[in-house]
Amino acid sequence: MSVSRFLSLVSCGLLLFAADGLAAPQPKAAWVRGARQRLAKSSKWNSKRQYTQANGSACIETEPADFQAPKDNIWSGLTNWEAASVTKWLFEQGELNLTVSDDAGDWDNSILLVELMVPNKTDVLPYIDGNATAPPRYAHVVLDLRTTEEPTYNDILVGPLPVKNGTTTWQPLEYPYTRKTGGSIRNLDADSTALETDWLLKIGASISDITFDLWGGTATGADNDTLDIWGIDPLWQYDGKITRWDTFWNYPTDDFDAETLLPLGLFFKSDVTGRDPSKWKLEGWLYNDIFYPTTDAFRTAYWDSNFTKLGANVEGDWARSDKIGPVLPMDAASPPQSVAPSGSRYSVDQKAKYVEWMNFSFYISFNRDTGLRLFDIRHKGQRILYELGLEEALAHYAGNDPVQSGTSYLDSYYGFGPYAFELVPGYDCPAYATYMNTSFYVSETTHTHINSVCFFEFDADYPMQRHSQSTYVANTKNIYFTVRSVSTVGNYDYMFSYEFYYDGSIRVEVRASGYIQAAYYAHNHDYGYHIHDSLSGSMHDHVLGYKADFDILGTDNTMELTTNIPVVQSYVWSDHPRNTMKLQRSFVESENNSKLLYTGNGRTQYRVVNTDKPNKYGEYRGYRILPADGTIHLTVENSSNLVDAANWAKYDLMVTKQKDTEPRSAHPYNGQDVYNPVINFDKFFDGESLMQEDLVVWFNLGMHHVPHTGDLPNTVFTTAHSGVQFMPLNYYDTDISHETVNMVRINYNDGNVSNVKTFGQQQAVCSVDLAKQDPDLYSYKGDVVIRKFPYDPNDPYYETDAIV
Ligand SMILES: *[C@@H]1O[C@H](CO)[C@@H](O)[C@H](O)[C@H]1NC(C)=O
Ligand SMILES: *[C@@H]1O[C@H](CO)[C@@H](O)[C@H](O)[C@H]1NC(C)=O
Ligand SMILES: *[C@@H]1O[C@H](CO)[C@@H](O)[C@H](O)[C@H]1NC(C)=O
Ligand SMILES: *[C@@H]1O[C@H](CO)[C@@H](O)[C@H](O)[C@H]1NC(C)=O
Ligand SMILES: *[C@@H]1O[C@H](CO)[C@@H](O)[C@H](O)[C@H]1NC(C)=O
Ligand SMILES: *[C@@H]1O[C@H](CO)[C@@H](O)[C@H](O)[C@H]1NC(C)=O
Ligand SMILES: *[C@@H]1O[C@H](CO)[C@@H](O)[C@H](O)[C@H]1NC(C)=O
Ligand SMILES: *[C@@H]1O[C@H](CO)[C@@H](O)[C@H](O)[C@H]1NC(C)=O
Ligand SMILES: *[C@@H]1O[C@H](CO)[C@@H](O)[C@H](O)[C@H]1NC(C)=O
Ligand SMILES: *[C@@H]1O[C@H](CO)[C@@H](O)[C@H](O)[C@H]1NC(C)=O
Ligand SMILES: *[C@@H]1O[C@H](CO)[C@@H](O)[C@H](O)[C@H]1NC(C)=O
Ligand SMILES: *[C@@H]1O[C@H](CO)[C@@H](O)[C@H](O)[C@H]1NC(C)=O
Ligand SMILES: [Cu+2]
């Protein structure tokens, strides 16, 4: 059958059902029931899904033979039972003196996190590449020890698992950190309850006459408060003091999460050193760029007749994300949508969290700090990357006010795992995508985010390849495979995508949406645009640090740079020297010179190669790291906020020798001690050779974000994005994308087609029922929580947390 037949069948089906939907909308209840059944079915299957193509009739879903990962997924996380038994065991260790989180106050010890300790690569390779047994399992536990004057967070290792009296022990976890203090780091947030009730709200109450006069509201802890108070992150940590700046924000007046758009422009400084709120000191007020050393000074000035009062930021439709304006031309008609007529052309082992698409395969892992990660990414059976995932996301603000100036969020503190919510089918991922649940264990509960990772194929809006000539045209479809999750960390939504292509390339992409954190507009035109009444779109850099542990044809790898350089060159065949260019090749020889900035004009190719295994032409086979989509590093130099807490953010690409003692470039509590963070990334660079060693490439994505009116109410994914591609370079002897059957060659002459070659690609002959394809959005759940101490898997409840 011809290709044009295939196209017309599919588009006919689409038109038919779309027209149906328009003419006679289904009653909601029936529609919902049908779609819910479909969703229940698709989230249940855990093996290869295929559709039988009945000729002309509806595509029928079938469940084929079991599909199993080749090895156990040793990165996938603790089982519910493991997490529960570790928790129970911890409560039996009297010396830890633990209190159940629900009962714990600011002066009790509690368990924050129980998760899998990712095994050492050295111990894993003999298992995944050979016949060795899987390495023993350990739990990584974070304790919040707050019974003393000097509260700490403590990373400990518990194991081996399963828990057994006598053999299971706990020990301080120190080997993955550059700071050698027994896995212990001070906790500057131990007194959050006291801070709120005994400090911030009391200060709010002390000036309620002024807040009421200025903004018609108060922040006192009363039920009718309309103001919130919060401020900088991380706290100032110098001169032997812990200092914070806070400011007032209007609460939104409805469900919209608009608070970060509603700053009010009054700031106060507190010395909050130590754990005794009675010893904390208010150190002054700032309003309209005038500093007042005491509350009395501020009040006196305020009530003076010459005091200048500035406007407030108040929620309105401008801050709400619902539809505005008249309906755009034809916009109410159903837009185009993608269908998967043959069902999924990939395999997912839901239990092992293992995926195969075309000749790619990988294991999925998920953790509290950074969410989704991929391990053992192979192409044609050969590992390309041992590990690929986010390490940390920094949002570094600036401003002439102390709160914006003092804000440098290190988001793994909040965690990407806890905020990786259920994806919205048909919006975050196509309706036909496959979903996976993710889980994490905090404060004696297991949280499961249903359908929080999705997998799908998509047809890019451009072909992979084409060529026309007078007698033929050849064209290959660009069908790619995406793994995606979204984490909403406070005001921001980060969409993380990993994409795989027929040509063997892999793309890492991040997009940002959600609410900006805006500044109060006063004297700060150098730090952002004026975007609403009293609002500045506060400038900030997003820098997202990733780890890519490449293994190109084994673990002995080298980073090669190939740069286009301009030259004046003489040639035997030319009577004048010629101004031209040539290639300059070099290696990143050691950690002495392995912090790299992308060269101007994109002239350098960065490539991980294996120099021991050249191709048949003597060129090194490798994968190139190609900044593809606006990557950045941090603008601020030697940040006063961060000091040594985010040294990974200073360059574009950083190469180190892989070490079991350097698995992470960042730690969620780095902001607790910025002068001596748990992981100081600079310390990874100790001059070691990088020639034919196991290399890790730490790379940054990000955006210089200067919000403008188009960021209201929310930043848009279209322009807030960043990405890199890893592309095979001299890796295969040819472009391998023409292995796909999804290509065509049309031979023609004198206006007549003599032959259409379709290479055995399947014809989509079944019809797609778009009504069934429409997901049931009433089945959206949020967060399913199960208490694990005492362990009760039969009593789940729903709870969706957000911060701010
Ligand atoms: C599918 O239907 C078409 C038209 O009804 C018919 O010509 C064709 O033979 C059928 N193919 C199969 C495999 O049944
Ligand atoms: C154990 O913790 C409690 C608070 O939960 C504290 O009062 C007590 O002093 C602690 N005991 C020891 C031995 O540290
Ligand atoms: C694994 O075991 C099989 C069978 O004993 C053996 O043939 C093979 O060489 C072993 N592979 C490795 C990598 O040790
Ligand atoms: C371990 O020993 C403690 C006290 O000796 C006991 O309470 C507990 O039940 C034992 N746990 C297991 C898993 O056997
Ligand atoms: C809140 O309620 C209290 C007591 O009813 C009242 O005195 C106060 O004015 C109210 N505050 C605001 C901001 O409405
Ligand atoms: C307001 O007037 C007072 C005297 O009443 C003076 O001390 C102060 O400097 C004036 N403030 C401003 C902002 O002009
Ligand atoms: C790659 O795909 C080919 C063709 O389907 C298949 O024969 C081969 O086993 C695949 N290789 C791997 C390693 O998956
Ligand atoms: C995801 O979690 C939900 C709720 O616990 C469960 O019903 C469903 O079976 C899970 N899906 C998979 C693929 O495990
Ligand atoms: C940052 O620190 C480095 C090393 O101390 C120094 O060379 C550089 O000038 C500093 N940059 C700024 C802007 O202070
Ligand atoms: C991982 O490797 C480090 C460094 O060799 C070692 O100290 C540590 O004990 C290993 N961890 C485990 C869980 O075996
Ligand atoms: C890195 O620099 C140090 C100090 O200059 C030097 O001792 C070391 O040999 C260098 N490393 C390599 C691999 O060249
Ligand atoms: C091309 O098709 C037209 C219309 O069917 C026909 O008249 C013409 O002869 C064909 N030319 C060739 C070269 O086959
Ligand atoms: Cu931003």
Side-chain angles (χ1 to χ4, degrees), residues 145 171 240 342 465 471 475 580 657 686 715 767 777 786:
L145 304 184
Q171 53 185 294
S342 298
Q465 166 275 342
T471 57
N475 208 317
T580 179
K657 180 176 162 177
D686 38 18
T715 296
S767 50
L777 300 179
I786 292 175

Side-chain angles (χ1 to χ4, degrees), residues 286-338:
L286 184 78
Y287 186 76
N288 199 8
D289 218 18
I290 300 166
F291 184 77
Y292 306 91
T294 63
T295 306
D296 283 347
F298 176 50
R299 176 173 283 107
T300 305
Y302 183 84
W303 290 115
D304 195 287
S305 58
N306 63 0
F307 187 84
T308 306
K309 297 177 189 176
L310 306 175
N313 289 303
V314 180
E315 197 195 0
D317 281 348
W318 67 277
R320 301 180 180 120
S321 55
D322 276 355
K323 187 199 166 342
I324 52 164
V327 176
L328 295 170
M330 294 189 245
D331 190 36
S334 292
Q337 59 175 281
S338 189

Side-chain angles (χ1 to χ4, degrees), residues 497-553:
S497 305
Y498 298 93
E499 297 166 359
F500 299 84
Y501 293 80
Y502 280 153
D503 63 349
S505 66
I506 301 169
R507 188 180 182 110
V508 183
E509 182 87 19
V510 61
R511 295 178 187 275
S513 187
Y515 281 97
I516 60 168
Q517 174 179 309
Y520 188 81
Y521 184 73
H523 313 284
N524 49 0
H525 207 246
D526 288 345
Y527 298 93
Y529 298 115
H530 187 184
I531 58 170
H532 203 259
D533 299 347
S534 297
L535 204 63
S536 160
S538 187
M539 71 183 292
H540 55 280
D541 278 355
H542 294 275
V543 190
L544 293 104
Y546 283 79
K547 176 182 185 182
D549 179 344
F550 281 91
D551 284 353
I552 302 297
L553 306 167

Side-chain angles (χ1 to χ4, degrees), residues 90 120 144 165 170 310 382 391 473 485 489 502 629 722 758:
L90 286 167
N120 285 330
D144 192 2
N165 266 354
W170 71 268
L310 306 175
Q382 185 74 52
E391 291 291 306
V473 55
S485 79
V489 186
Y502 280 153
D629 206 356
S722 175
T758 56

